[in-house]
């Protein structure tokens, strides 16, 4: 029995008992049962949405796995003469120490880039860019 069925059972139970909903206690019980019914419907909606999002995340994970295989499992990159993946230069972020790989041809004219790890601006010196 799921949460919605349990709330419906309680609603039927109070109706079957012919409980007087005009008394203070009857109004309280009726209000609680109505609240439980609303909560159970909300929970069922959330469970459906969560299941849908879970399926979507699994699809994205699968697609990302394929992209990672395509990008990172290039057999020719084991050689130093690889030209298919671009010539990237490694730069260490002075703020967080993470490695950043730069395409020297794609550095902006102002020589400022943003570290993807800490979001701080880094000035790329001419000798680092070449």
């Amino acid at each position: 029995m799921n949460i919605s069925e349990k709330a419906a059972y309680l609603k039927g139970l109070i109706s079957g008992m012919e409980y007087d909903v005009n008394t203070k206690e009857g109004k309280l019980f009726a209000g609680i049962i109505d609240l439980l019914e609303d909560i159970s419907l909300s929970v069922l909606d959330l469970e459906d949405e969560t299941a849908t999002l879970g399926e979507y995340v699994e699809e994205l994970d699968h697609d990302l796995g394929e992209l990672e295989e395509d990008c990172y499992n290039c057999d020719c990159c084991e050689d130093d003469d690889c030209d298919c993946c671009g010539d990237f230069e490694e730069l260490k972020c002075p703020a967080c120490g993470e490695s950043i790989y730069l395409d020297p041809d794609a550095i902006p004219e102002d020589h400022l880039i943003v570290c993807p790890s800490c979001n701080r601006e880094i000035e790329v010196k001419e000798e680092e860019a070449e």
Side-chain angles (χ1 to χ4, degrees):
M1 189 181 306
N2 67 28
I3 191 169
S4 181
E5 292 168 340
K6 288 180 182 180
Y9 172 75
L10 288 176
K11 191 170 192 173
L13 189 64
I14 201 167
S15 296
M17 292 175 55
E18 297 178 9
Y19 204 80
D20 186 10
V21 291
N22 295 323
T23 64
K24 291 179 187 178
E25 294 85 10
K27 288 178 183 178
L28 176 66
F29 287 140
I32 290 172
I33 290 173
D34 287 341
L35 176 64
L36 286 174
E37 186 176 32
D38 291 344
I39 290 172
S40 69
L41 292 174
S42 294
V43 168
L44 289 175
D45 288 345
L46 288 173
E47 287 174 349
D48 290 343
E49 291 176 18
T50 301
T52 302
L53 288 173
E55 292 171 7
Y56 184 64
V57 167
E58 285 180 18
E59 288 178 27
L60 287 174
D61 185 45
H62 177 72
D63 292 346
L64 181 61
E66 289 179 358
L67 285 174
E68 287 174 343
E69 283 182 26
D70 291 345
C71 292
Y72 297 124
N73 291 339
C74 181
D75 293 335
C76 67
C77 293
E78 294 173 4
D79 301 331
D80 290 335
D81 297 331
C82 174
D83 289 333
C84 72
C85 301
D87 294 322
F88 292 99
E89 300 292 326
E90 182 179 2
L91 171 69
K92 294 272 187 193
C93 175
C96 67
E98 288 291 319
S99 294
I100 304 169
Y101 295 94
L102 303 171
D103 181 356
D105 298 330
I107 296 175
E109 290 181 24
D110 61 359
H111 293 279
L112 292 176
I113 62 167
V114 176
C115 175
S117 296
C118 67
N119 293 324
R120 293 199 181 178
E121 280 192 348
I122 303 168
E123 182 176 359
V124 180
K125 298 175 184 150
E126 290 286 330
E127 61 271 3
E128 292 174 335
E130 297 183 19

